[in-house]
Amino acid sequence: MGELRVRVTQDSASRWRRRGGEYATLREALEVAEPGDTLTVRAGTFREAVLVDKPVTLVAEQGPGSVRISPPESAVRSGTALTVTAAATVRGLVVDGSDRSAPAVLLAGADGAVLADCRIEASSSVGVELADGARAQLVGCTVENPSGLGVRLRARAQAELLDCEVAAAGQSGVAVLGGSRLRAERLKVRRAGGAGVLLADPGTLVELIGCEVSEVRGSGVQAEAQAVGRLTDCTVHRVSGNGLSLDTGAELELSSGRIHDVPENAADLRGGARLTLRQVTVHGFGRGALSIWDGGTKVVAEGCRFHSAQGDYPALWVSDGAALELADCALDDLPDALFVLDQGSSAAVRDCSFSAIRSSAVSVSGGASADLARCRIQGAGTGLWFRDHGSGGLLTDCEIADVATGVIVTKGADPVLRECTVRGAGEAGVYVSAQGRGEFEAVRVSQGGGFGFHVIDGCRTKLVRCRAERNARAGFEFSEPGPVAEGCTSDDAAPLPPLAAVPAPVVPAPAPAPRAAAPLATLVPAVQTTAPAPAAPVIAPIPDCRPAEVALAELDALVGLATVKQEVRTLIDLISVGRARQRAGLKAPSPRRHLVFTGAPGTGKTTVARLYGEILASLGVLQRGHLVEVARLDLVGEHVGSTAIRTAAAFDRARGGVLFIDEAYALAPEDAGRDFGREAIDTLVKLMEDHRDEVVVIVAGYTAEMERFLAANPGLSSRFSRTVTFPDYTADELLDIARAQAAEHEYRLTEATEAALLGHFTAIDRSTGFGNGRTARQVFETMVERHASRVAHLPSPTTEDLQLLVPADLPDN
């Protein structure tokens, strides 16, 4: 009799069967074992193929790796070293498989087998295979199969992989086919000869959480034939093919993941596939970040970042009728950012930023369209280039800054731009030629090195309420009749009398080509051409802004706030005198324009911030002077990286005006821990430094809390060197606010009513719930309601009855 190496322990509740025993082989032990028994296996190598067809537990006595199943080739009939057909648990075994026509481990039971802490070392067709309809769970297992697939799920199989690794595979690391379902957490797939994870066929569903795919000789994840995958917090990197490959109606959704260091495309989609990216970072790609082909193919990306391309290809490529949607994304350090080509192709982009783009940020051609809303392009060769007939799109509230050429429209392209700005272009801000068209409404071009709006070749471009200022050559240049300008203004234009004869302009010699090698040199005529004599569009001079004195008068008309008014006047005086000194060739002081407003709610901080921005715009310090009011909710995101994107987007909306952050101290809570508010503060400090002349930042909140806020980042206190304190309104000032409300709404207060109001405001509780000016307005609104209830019961109320507020209308204390 051989050595007793397998002990069978009776774990079932049956009382009539034998007690258990010890056996020399696994086959013998399994023959006598009954459901529920545990087979404890001593250390060693078992030269036999094992079939587990009962719901038993098979465990290595001395822990994982101490027991090896390695059948001799002559003894392997099915070619499979370990077959499990029941709801059994196999723990801590090493399985050798050497038949290249069969799997090393076959899981064929529908009741759910468990492999735990096992290692499969195979030269087989598959390392671990789930047969049709099988169910299994693998926990802490490692699969090495350099000759074939790592793990394969066949038709309608279901598997859960927890903390497993496919350390080597000659083909795909994990293949999920035929409507199977896989859920994997913390799975690692590496050194595969094909795709890291392959999913195919209708009904197939793969869910990966915290997984990693690397060092594969193919695509990281390959989805095809209507398969569906969901990846959360996963990483794909160091693969030889595409990071993701999708085809024939497949769908993938990635959240909070990374794709990097791929020589081809980070994601390649064809054949009506769909990809959704949320909070995903993509960088280090050799060709493109997203390559999207074919009608019905679509990518939606939200809160993502695409940066640091390794090749010379456009980062985002949309062609052959495909579609792309981007929201809250950042694209930076790229050769070209977004190319949209071919009729039917489209890109919808909102709240995104493009920066450090070496050539074109956005290029549209072949009849494609691109719609952009609230986007910012900074640092590019060409901001947007609409290249040919049928190409166009709608751009709304976008900003293009520090580019060689802002917008190029050529060869019949016809985009629409509304309320956009182009600032600091090296050459033309807007350039239209070669039968390009385009409609530009309320577009502003400033601080350019060439013409603001340069339209040649008689292009029938329409410009409505456009504005050009501080451009080196001229605000508007129309070389031939064709452009239509309505209500446009320029700082280099003088008003022309009605019906005046306007001499036709002469086209100057071609300007040097933009730094990014934009093809202006080939588009501008090589010889001077004199246009015929019809009247050219009339460009009016920029009208004067609302004088600072008018806004200051409105500030002075506010109730109370004497110290606040004096602080604002001091700042305005410093700025005004500084500009006068500059005009006189003297050095001008550089006062810090960013402010801290401290005080309780309802003391007029937002109103003063709005007026301050308007005054600075009237003095030429700010371009627009508009107010963008935000709070913590608008700046702080829910994921790592999203806060910086939100903060930058708010800052971009405030360019040329005032960014007002109410209750700013909420960004630096006392018990911050890993709070993302600190990320908002750090991002804000950097933006204030990088764009110090473009935005005035005002932070507001309670006095003590604002001191904590300023201490949250070493750079904050140096950027906010002036604090303006807003005191609570006195009872008399609250009465003045109520008087103003009454006059505005055509009510009258009797002397007795005013005395009663003064007493009410004197006695009012100024602790929790007190809202200063807001309280005065609420009191007035309550009086109006009580007045209405009282007068409604009068038989024939007079005009005086309808206007007069009496002490009885006051709210109860």
Side-chain angles (χ1 to χ4, degrees), residues 444-466:
R444 180 175 182 174
V445 180
S446 65
Q447 305 176 48
F451 296 113
F453 295 83
H454 192 184
V455 184
I456 69 171
D457 300 333
C459 294
R460 301 182 65 182
T461 302
K462 184 175 183 180
L463 301 101
V464 180
R465 299 190 308 281
C466 292

Side-chain angles (χ1 to χ4, degrees), residues 606-636:
T606 305
T607 300
V608 173
R610 177 181 57 78
L611 291 172
Y612 181 57
E614 186 177 354
I615 293 166
L616 293 182
S618 70
L619 295 174
V621 177
L622 293 175
Q623 287 190 2
R624 296 172 60 190
H626 64 295
L627 181 75
V628 174
E629 183 175 0
V630 297
R632 174 188 167 90
L633 182 64
D634 305 296
L635 303 179
V636 177

Side-chain angles (χ1 to χ4, degrees), residues 352-379:
C352 293
S353 65
F354 301 74
S355 61
I357 311 300
R358 295 186 284 279
S359 187
S360 297
V362 179
S363 175
V364 186
S365 62
S369 67
D371 294 345
L372 283 75
R374 301 180 302 281
C375 293
R376 174 172 174 77
I377 299 170
Q378 181 172 24

Side-chain angles (χ1 to χ4, degrees), residues 33 59 61 127 131 193 239 297-298 328 388 479-480 504 513 552 579 772:
V59 59
E61 183 177 45
V239 302
T297 306
K298 184 175 182 179
D328 298 307
D388 47 28
S479 63
E480 299 173 7
L552 281 168
R579 292 175 68 84
N772 278 289

Side-chain angles (χ1 to χ4, degrees), residues 25-51:
T25 67
L26 285 166
R27 179 182 59 79
E28 292 172 343
L30 286 164
E31 284 179 351
V32 301
E34 295 192 6
D37 283 354
T38 296
L39 284 69
T40 304
V41 188
R42 293 179 184 174
T45 299
F46 288 78
R47 297 292 182 178
E48 58 180 309
V50 176
L51 169 63

Side-chain angles (χ1 to χ4, degrees), residues 524-551:
V524 179
V527 296
Q528 294 185 350
T529 304
T530 302
V538 175
I539 306 299
I542 293 175
D544 292 336
C545 297
R546 181 184 180 188
E549 290 75 15
V550 176

Side-chain angles (χ1 to χ4, degrees), residues 332-628:
D332 58 276
D333 190 16
L334 304 170
D336 292 284
L338 171 61
F339 270 42
V340 191
L341 310 90
D342 306 324
Q343 188 170 2
S345 299
S346 65
V349 186
R350 61 177 176 83
D351 299 310
C352 293
S353 65
F354 301 74
S355 61
I357 311 300
R358 295 186 284 279
S359 187
S360 297
V362 179
S363 175
V364 186
S365 62
S369 67
D371 294 345
L372 283 75
R374 301 180 302 281
C375 293
R376 174 172 174 77
I377 299 170
Q378 181 172 24
T382 300
L384 299 108
W385 193 344
F386 297 90
R387 293 176 177 262
D388 47 28
H389 182 75
S391 304
L394 173 63
L395 277 71
T396 307
D397 193 21
C398 294
E399 181 176 355
I400 306 161
D402 305 326
V403 296
T405 306
V407 181
I408 299 177
V409 183
T410 58
K411 299 181 182 179
D414 194 12
V416 176
L417 281 74
R418 292 176 180 157
E419 298 181 347
C420 297
T421 62
V422 180
R423 177 177 50 78
E427 296 293 332
V430 172
Y431 181 81
V432 187
S433 70
Q435 289 75 53
R437 295 175 66 91
E439 179 178 332
F440 299 84
E441 180 179 341
V443 174
R444 180 175 182 174
V445 180
S446 65
Q447 305 176 48
F451 296 113
F453 295 83
H454 192 184
V455 184
I456 69 171
D457 300 333
C459 294
R460 301 182 65 182
T461 302
K462 184 175 183 180
L463 301 101
V464 180
R465 299 190 308 281
C466 292
R467 173 174 172 143
E469 57 187 345
R470 290 182 283 173
N471 293 288
R473 301 189 67 177
F476 293 80
E477 173 69 9
F478 304 146
S479 63
E480 299 173 7
V484 175
E486 301 175 1
C488 297
T489 57
S490 176
D491 59 359
D492 62 354
L496 297 175
L499 304 178
V502 180
V506 176
V507 177
R515 290 186 296 274
L520 296 187
T522 62
L523 298 175
V524 179
V527 296
Q528 294 185 350
T529 304
T530 302
V538 175
I539 306 299
I542 293 175
D544 292 336
C545 297
R546 181 184 180 188
E549 290 75 15
V550 176
L552 281 168
E554 184 176 336
L555 176 65
D556 288 336
L558 297 176
V559 174
L561 306 178
T563 57
V564 174
K565 296 170 184 175
Q566 182 57 47
E567 287 280 2
V568 173
R569 279 196 171 277
T570 299
L571 285 168
I572 300 308
D573 290 343
L574 281 170
I575 293 169
S576 298
V577 172
R579 292 175 68 84
R581 287 176 60 86
Q582 283 180 326
R583 288 193 296 270
L586 302 173
K587 290 184 178 180
S590 300
R592 297 286 184 182
R593 299 174 296 171
H594 308 304
L595 302 175
V596 178
F597 283 0
T598 63
T603 49
K605 294 188 290 294
T606 305
T607 300
V608 173
R610 177 181 57 78
L611 291 172
Y612 181 57
E614 186 177 354
I615 293 166
L616 293 182
S618 70
L619 295 174
V621 177
L622 293 175
Q623 287 190 2
R624 296 172 60 190
H626 64 295
L627 181 75
V628 174

